[in-house]
């Protein structure tokens, strides 16, 4: 088991390295000069500009710049924000936690909704199957920012007095904090639930036709025991994988949702940084988000191996 | 399913081709009649500076859809080349290509799109390049999978044994067999691209104004939502209709071409 | 002695694409307690459907309409509720299926798959059930049963898996064991071992055996009476010696002609 974990991490390392290169290269490919950009809109003398270049190490060869940047990043130094002149990491961490919470709630919602509709669709078939599949097709076609906009619109029209959209920090009131994230999480979860639902449906149908389910019924086990130990446990494995892979979609979607609901998370931070051209911040967010997605995928693989004894350990 | 999808697609294509000529008003013409509700003249009402919303929806649709089609065409071309080469040549070439695509794949699509557009600047050209980049890996993988399994099949072996050239084998024998999953995936990618294009525009990272775009129209309508809530409906329905078109098409193609559920 | 199983005018009808198809066309037969009876016929003749009817198991996702009467220990199985039927399955009537590779749950240890039927029908404690599971694994010839009980199906060969499935089937000492092509998916050498095991267990546990096969060679030395099925009907029935010596129905003769050797060299007995 340890070997498998180590191997999986080793395979991820080159990809992480590639991700860091892309994050680095993106901000060096800017039209114009990184130093110029760092100065923002203020006019600046040529000498001062040279000074900034030296400070940022821009006079060195590009690979040396990359190594220095990577070295710093590994030690948690993502550079100074152009906008606030404070370390990017310090700005990023509290926002990341907010996004992580939002993503987690949304993920749980999507998993619950997806597995329930998928299971109902596969077990009850007929009309239920029909309704679930139609509902899924429709959900798939409605982008999360449209859902979010419509939710805000409806709530604004019918419940203008309720302050459900005001984000409450966790430290202030944990319950109100979670409540304030429910609608944003729902608009994120709907699209993602479709993938989970379709995969659950396919997996349950596939498992239902397996001989071991017939054997379980021939044992006289109760319907709920057959469902729990034979159907769901076998169908769950692919569903776990799919849910993990949806992390990327959830993180990407949170950019829009946080902007619409004004939640001070990483997505909103990215949006702000893009508008203020705060390139070190953008770089940091891209690096952190992509790394998190990669690591979650590794975790999913490991969880998969634990649930399914058939996956070989080497 | 395919017929419904095709009919919906035809309507979208009509908007792309005919565009401004079927719009009832000049989409850029402002008037004093701002934020008006739907009536006989302005079927969907007017926006904050009195422009006809239906006309803007049609002209904006042309913009949104053109970007979508061009970007997906580029991604498809790149995905086909990379996937065919990777799956067909195999070995080290395959390894290198797949690892490179893995790197792009590691980014959440929308995050990468925002970062690239932010770095390059929000122009139509850059938007198209960005979307082509983020969707190439998906398409390349869909091509590579079947190529890997198909190239060992008997009739491919047979063609090789009678001395048919490798390039000819790839194009004549392998390509037709991978066409079904590609068609389905392309259709799904079109739906996703509609989402990405409009979402970027919604955040203000789309084509710069005054070009209308469904995403920016929705964002604008959101600002005046309390005054004119119904202006949100037009762009929202348009976006949903367009992505629904490609989803219906993909499901239909999947049934007709008998492609597996994944 | 009154029969254990008394099947009268059994019919089974499937709906395929909305068109009903009758697969079993009114068959009748008896099985006495402890008796072993063979059902022989080619695939699609209705023998497996007959077995499933006795278990009241419809294939997943399809509907079957059963007709007639299946008398078992004084009640008609076809009139029982699903809940009552669940008390019969595994407890009174058990079944061994054709494909051992696909018949075990891949994510449960083999021990757990015997524990669950024991706990369902016998009310044994978790610990006592595991003790009995280990005994059963030993009974069907699995070495180091206490250790192997925690292994997963993929760590067992096809023959070993069929032994596990037989352990599951006999775990609650059923009155009737239905074996539906239990050796078809196995290697020839393993086939003989499995047949010997079934025969031994039947005698030790005093079960009746309903052995379903397409191969006359398999039932030689295994059963006392044979029912030959063809096209959803029983075309010939009788003691096995009589059938081998003087088959009356042309279909029986054709089946017998397909068996390479009938000189009693088959294993078992």
């Amino acid at each position: 088991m340890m070997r498998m974990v180590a191997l999986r991490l080793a395979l991820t390392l080159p990809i992480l390295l590639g991700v860091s290169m892309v994050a680095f290269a993106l901000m060096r490919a800017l039209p114009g000069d990184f130093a110029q950009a760092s100065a923002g809109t203020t006019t600046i003398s040529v000498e001062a500009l040279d000074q900034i270049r030296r400070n940022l190490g821009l006079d060195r060869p590009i690979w040396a710049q990359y190594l220095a940047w990577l070295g710093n990043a590994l030690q948690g130094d993502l550079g100074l924000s152009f906008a606030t002149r404070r370390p990017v990491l310090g700005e990023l961490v509290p926002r990341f936690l907010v996004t992580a919470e939002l993503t987690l709630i949304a993920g749980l919602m999507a998993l619950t909704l997806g597995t329930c509709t998928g299971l109902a669709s596969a077990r009850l078939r007929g009309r239920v199957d029909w309704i679930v599949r139609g509902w899924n097709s429709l959900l798939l076609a409605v982008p999360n920012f449209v859902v979010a906009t419509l939710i805000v619109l409806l709530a604004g029209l019918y419940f203008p007095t309720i302050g459900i959209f005001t984000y409450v920090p966790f430290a202030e009131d944990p319950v109100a904090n979670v409540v304030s994230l429910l609608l944003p999480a729902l608009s994120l979860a709907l699209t993602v639930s479709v993938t989970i639902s379709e995969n659950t449906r396919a997996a349950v149908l596939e498992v239902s036709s397996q001989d071991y389910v017939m054997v379980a019924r021939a044992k006289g086990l109760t319907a709920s025991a057959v469902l729990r130990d034979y159907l769901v446990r076998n169908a769950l494995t692919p569903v776990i994988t799919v849910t993990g892979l949806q992390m990327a979609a959830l993180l990407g979607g949170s950019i829009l949702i946080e902007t619409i609901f004004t939640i001070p998370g990483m997505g909103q931070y990215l949006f702000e940084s893009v508008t203020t051209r705060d390139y070190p911040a953008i770089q940091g967010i891209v690096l952190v988000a992509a790394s998190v997605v990669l690591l979650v995928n590794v975790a999913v693989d490991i969880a998969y191996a634990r649930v399914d004894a058939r996956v070989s350990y080497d | 399913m395919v017929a419904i999808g095709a009919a919906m697609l035809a309507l979208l294509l009509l908007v792309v081709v005919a565009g401004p000529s079927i719009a009832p008003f000049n989409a850029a013409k402002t008037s004093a009649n701002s934020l008006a509700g739907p009536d006989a003249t302005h079927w969907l009402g007017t926006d904050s500076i009195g422009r006809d919303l239906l006309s803007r929806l049609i002209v904006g649709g042309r913009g949104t859809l053109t970007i979508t089609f061009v970007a997906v065409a580029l991604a498809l071309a790149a995905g086909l080349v990379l996937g065919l080469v990777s799956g067909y040549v195999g070995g080290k070439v395959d390894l290198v290509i797949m690892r490179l695509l893995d790197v792009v794949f590691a980014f959440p699509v929308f995050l990468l799109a925002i970062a690239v557009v932010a770095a390059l600047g929000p122009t139509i050209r850059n938007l198209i390049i960005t979307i082509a980049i983020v969707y190439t890996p998906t398409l390349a993988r869909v091509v590579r999978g079947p190529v890997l399994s198909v190239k060992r099949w008997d009739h491919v072996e047979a063609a090789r044994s009678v001395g048919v050239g490798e390039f000819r084998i790839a194009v004549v024998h392998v390509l037709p067999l991978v066409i079904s999953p590609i068609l389905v995936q392309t259709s799904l990618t079109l739906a996703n691209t509609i989402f990405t294009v409009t979402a970027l525009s919604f955040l203000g990272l789309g084509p710069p104004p005054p070009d209308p775009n469904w995403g920016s129209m929705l964002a604008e309508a959101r600002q005046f939502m309390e005054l004119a809530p119904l202006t949100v409906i037009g762009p929202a329905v348009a976006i949903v209709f367009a992505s629904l078109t490609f989803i219906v098409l993909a499901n239909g193609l999947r049934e007709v071409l008998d492609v597996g559920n994944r | 002695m009154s029969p254990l199983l008394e099947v009268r005018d059994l019919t089974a009808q499937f709906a395929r694409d909305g068109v009903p198809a009758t697969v079993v066309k009114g068959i009748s037969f008896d099985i006495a307690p402890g008796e072993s009876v063979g059902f022989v016929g080619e695939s699609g003749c209705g023998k497996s459907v007959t077995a499933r009817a006795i278990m009241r198991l419809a294939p997943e996702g399809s509907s079957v309409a059963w007709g007639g009467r299946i008398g078992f220990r004084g009640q008609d199985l076809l009139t029982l509720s699903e809940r009552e039927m669940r008390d019969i399955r595994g407890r009174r009537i058990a079944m061994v299926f054709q494909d051992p590779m696909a018949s075990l749950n891949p994510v449960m240890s083999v021990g757990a798959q015997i524990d669950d039927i024991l706990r369902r029908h016998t009310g044994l404690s978790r610990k006592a059930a595991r003790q009995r599971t280990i005994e059963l694994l030993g009974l069907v010839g699995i070495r180091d049963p206490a250790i192997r009980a925690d292994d997963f199906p993929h760590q067992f060969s096809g023959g070993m898996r069929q032994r596990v499935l037989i352990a599951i089937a006999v775990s609650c000492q059923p009155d009737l064991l239905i074996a539906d092509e239990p050796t078809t998916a196995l290697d020839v050498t393993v086939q003989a071992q499995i047949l010997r095991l079934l025969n031994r267990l039947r005698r030790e546990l005093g079960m009746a055996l309903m052995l379903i096969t397409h191969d006359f060679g398999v039932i030689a030395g295994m059963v006392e009476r044979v029912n030959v099925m063809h096209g959803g009907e029983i075309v010939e029935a009788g003691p096995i010696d009589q059938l081998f010596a003087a088959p009356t129905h042309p279909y029986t003769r054709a089946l017998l002609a397909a068996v390479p050797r009938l000189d009693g060299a088959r294993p078992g007995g």
Side-chain angles (χ1 to χ4, degrees):
Chain A
M1 193 68 195
M2 281 312 292
R3 246 193 80 195
M4 185 242 165
V5 174
L7 193 86
R8 196 61 192 73
L9 283 173
L11 281 177
T12 314
L13 214 58
I15 300 178
L16 266 176
L17 218 59
V19 163
S20 74
M21 283 182 200
V22 172
F24 176 80
L26 264 180
M27 296 307 133
R28 289 299 191 272
L30 291 175
D33 185 336
F34 195 68
Q36 188 81 60
S38 113
T41 46
T42 46
T43 6
I44 195 165
S45 70
V46 179
E47 293 78 37
L49 212 54
D50 276 345
Q51 184 58 44
I52 294 175
R53 285 205 183 94
R54 266 194 301 279
N55 286 351
L56 290 171
L58 293 182
D59 47 351
R60 286 187 288 162
I62 189 85
W63 58 267
Q65 290 180 38
Y66 167 69
L67 286 181
W69 174 80
L70 185 65
N72 288 339
L74 285 177
Q75 291 164 34
D77 177 7
L78 293 171
L80 292 183
S81 157
F82 286 173
T84 61
R85 307 285 163 193
R86 281 199 295 245
V88 168
L89 192 74
E91 305 261 328
L92 194 56
V93 168
R95 293 179 162 99
F96 173 75
L97 292 177
V98 172
T99 300
E101 190 194 352
L102 176 66
T103 312
L104 197 69
I105 298 177
L108 286 175
M109 279 184 178
L111 191 62
T112 316
L113 186 63
T115 44
C116 287
T117 54
L119 198 61
S121 163
R123 294 303 297 167
L124 305 175
R125 298 172 204 237
R127 193 167 295 164
V128 176
D129 189 22
W130 219 84
I131 293 170
V132 167
R133 301 189 81 181
W135 161 253
N136 280 344
S137 294
L138 186 68
L139 276 192
L140 208 58
V142 188
N144 51 26
F145 66 97
V146 175
V147 175
T149 306
L150 292 179
I151 287 180
V152 173
L153 170 69
L154 290 177
L157 281 180
Y158 295 107
F159 311 100
T161 47
I162 305 176
I164 33 174
F165 303 124
T166 332
Y167 174 77
V168 182
F170 189 80
E172 207 169 276
D173 182 350
V175 177
N177 165 267
V178 172
V179 171
S180 73
L181 287 179
L182 286 182
L183 281 176
L186 181 67
S187 38
L188 256 182
L190 287 179
T191 319
V192 173
S193 78
V194 175
T195 320
I196 298 175
S197 172
E198 282 178 350
N199 278 281
T200 307
R201 179 178 176 278
V204 171
L205 281 182
E206 157 95 26
V207 172
S208 302
S209 63
Q210 295 292 322
D211 287 357
Y212 54 76
V213 174
M214 182 65 88
V215 172
R217 289 166 62 207
K219 285 175 174 181
L221 298 179
T222 58
S224 61
V226 175
L227 188 69
R228 187 186 62 229
D229 293 338
Y230 290 78
L231 274 171
V232 173
R233 269 179 73 176
N234 277 288
L236 207 59
T237 337
V239 173
I240 291 177
T241 320
V242 167
T243 311
L245 294 179
Q246 290 302 309
M247 268 295 296
L250 285 173
L251 264 182
S254 70
I255 300 169
L256 287 154
I257 300 305
E258 287 173 7
T259 312
I260 294 171
F261 286 95
T262 55
I263 296 165
M266 203 163 63
Q268 203 195 37
Y269 188 36
L270 177 66
F271 179 63
E272 281 167 10
S273 307
V274 167
T275 8
T276 58
R277 299 178 174 271
D278 189 347
Y279 294 114
I282 300 176
Q283 210 168 30
I285 297 165
V286 169
L287 186 66
V288 168
S291 309
V292 167
V293 169
L294 269 178
L295 292 176
V296 167
N297 288 352
V298 174
V300 166
D301 272 4
I302 294 168
Y304 185 94
R306 281 192 66 94
V307 174
D308 192 335
R310 284 165 301 181
V311 178
S312 66
Y313 288 167
D314 44 27
Chain B
M1 275 283 237
V2 178
I4 301 171
M8 292 165 81
L9 182 63
L11 191 62
L12 290 182
L13 287 176
L14 178 72
V15 167
V16 174
V17 176
S21 53
I22 53 166
F25 291 91
N26 179 344
K29 193 170 164 289
T30 61
S31 75
N33 182 17
S34 68
L35 292 176
D39 60 29
T41 358
H42 300 287
W43 289 3
L44 294 178
T46 58
D47 71 2
S48 61
I49 47 175
R51 291 175 295 197
D52 178 57
L53 275 174
L54 179 61
S55 307
R56 284 180 66 71
L57 205 62
I58 292 172
V59 176
R62 184 188 204 180
T64 309
L65 293 168
T66 309
I67 294 173
T68 303
F69 285 129
V70 176
V72 173
L74 281 179
L76 181 61
L80 268 179
V81 170
L82 288 173
L84 272 178
V85 169
S86 193
Y88 202 76
V89 178
K92 284 209 178 87
V93 177
D94 180 33
L95 198 73
V96 170
I97 293 179
M98 286 333 276
R99 284 295 90 73
L100 286 179
L101 293 181
D102 276 347
V103 170
V104 181
F105 220 68
F107 292 93
V109 168
F110 195 58
L111 179 93
L112 185 62
I114 287 188
V116 175
V117 170
L120 299 177
T123 64
I124 292 183
R125 194 196 60 151
N126 292 344
L127 202 60
I128 289 174
I129 294 174
T130 304
I131 287 164
I133 292 174
V134 296
Y135 286 115
T136 297
T138 327
L139 288 162
R141 283 190 181 187
V142 170
V143 178
R144 177 179 171 266
V147 170
L148 273 184
S149 57
V150 154
K151 72 168 179 176
R152 301 258 167 259
W153 284 6
D154 287 347
H155 75 276
V156 177
E157 278 296 320
R160 189 174 287 135
S161 68
V162 295
V164 178
E166 288 295 324
F167 179 77
R168 211 182 135 72
I169 289 178
V171 173
V172 175
H173 295 275
V174 179
L175 196 58
L177 289 162
V178 300
I179 221 93
S180 308
I182 294 170
L183 275 177
V184 173
Q185 189 58 45
T186 304
S187 197
L188 287 177
T189 306
L190 281 165
N192 289 336
T193 307
I194 294 276
F195 168 90
T196 311
V197 172
T198 50
L200 283 171
S201 313
F202 182 80
L203 288 180
L205 294 171
D211 283 356
N213 176 296
W214 289 342
S216 54
M217 285 178 70
L218 187 67
E220 201 179 297
R222 203 169 74 88
Q223 288 173 352
F224 300 99
M225 211 151 62
E226 273 104 47
L227 296 171
L230 289 175
T231 54
V232 170
I233 306 298
V237 168
I239 293 169
V240 172
F241 179 82
S243 25
L244 198 60
T245 300
F246 296 115
I247 290 166
V248 169
L249 209 55
N251 285 344
L253 285 171
R254 196 177 276 163
E255 266 167 34
V256 171
L257 303 172
D258 197 24
V259 180
N261 217 346
R262 284 222 47 187
Chain C
M1 197 174 357
S2 68
L4 173 72
L5 186 76
E6 200 177 23
V7 173
R8 292 291 174 272
D9 301 319
L10 178 70
T11 58
Q13 208 173 51
F14 283 88
R16 280 191 188 125
D17 303 321
V19 187
T22 307
V23 212
V24 176
K25 300 169 183 165
I27 62 171
S28 303
F29 61 90
D30 290 344
I31 297 178
E35 186 189 25
S36 63
V37 178
F39 280 74
V40 188
E42 64 200 356
S43 58
C45 72
K47 57 195 196 305
S48 288
V49 177
T50 304
R52 302 266 167 105
I54 297 168
M55 293 289 278
R56 282 254 311 265
L57 285 173
E60 190 70 35
S62 72
S63 59
V64 196
W66 293 296
R69 202 186 109 79
I70 301 177
F72 179 77
R73 288 164 53 99
Q75 43 191 353
D76 181 1
L77 295 184
L78 290 181
T79 62
L80 292 186
S81 70
E82 177 62 22
R83 173 187 288 268
E84 288 167 320
M85 199 56 218
R86 275 201 292 265
D87 289 334
I88 304 260
R89 286 187 203 126
R91 171 75 191 88
R92 298 284 176 201
I93 308 177
M95 190 158 170
V96 174
F97 293 83
Q98 177 170 353
D99 184 3
M101 300 311 277
S103 294
L104 286 167
N105 184 350
V107 300
M108 273 170 95
S109 70
V110 298
Q113 298 184 55
I114 308 178
D115 292 344
D116 68 357
I117 182 172
L118 284 170
R119 284 172 58 77
R120 164 72 178 86
H121 291 300
T122 62
L124 289 176
S125 72
R126 194 171 290 272
K127 228 178 134 191
R130 178 45 65 101
Q131 197 52 49
R132 178 84 185 115
T133 292
I134 293 167
E135 282 169 30
L136 282 163
L137 285 174
L139 185 70
V140 297
I142 299 217
R143 259 179 243 158
D144 301 326
I147 300 165
R148 295 292 272 167
D150 289 323
D151 282 349
F152 285 84
H154 66 95
Q155 290 160 294
F156 288 75
S157 68
M160 284 297 152
R161 288 191 209 192
Q162 194 63 301
R163 285 173 192 269
V164 171
L165 284 154
I166 291 171
I168 291 173
V170 303
S171 61
C172 300
Q173 305 188 349
D175 302 309
L176 172 63
L177 178 66
I178 304 174
D180 186 0
E181 304 267 11
T183 58
T184 309
L186 300 172
D187 291 344
V188 183
T189 47
V190 183
Q191 284 186 6
Q193 296 168 5
I194 294 293
L195 289 174
R196 264 201 298 272
L197 175 66
L198 279 174
N199 221 358
R200 195 190 87 214
L201 288 173
R202 177 180 75 81
R203 266 180 282 139
E204 283 176 11
L205 302 175
M207 302 178 292
L209 176 69
M210 176 175 173
L211 181 62
I212 298 169
T213 177
H214 65 280
D215 182 0
F216 254 117
V218 166
I219 56 164
M222 282 289 292
V223 298
E224 294 146 30
R225 286 191 303 116
V226 182
N227 292 299
V228 179
M229 283 191 74
H230 181 57
E233 290 168 4
I234 294 178
V235 293
E236 185 163 6
I240 186 157
D241 302 337
Q242 185 187 320
L243 223 82
F244 274 155
T248 53
H249 198 275
Y251 181 70
T252 313
R253 271 184 235 132
L255 277 179
L256 282 170
V259 180
R261 296 197 315 190
L262 287 173
D263 52 3
R266 296 299 299 196

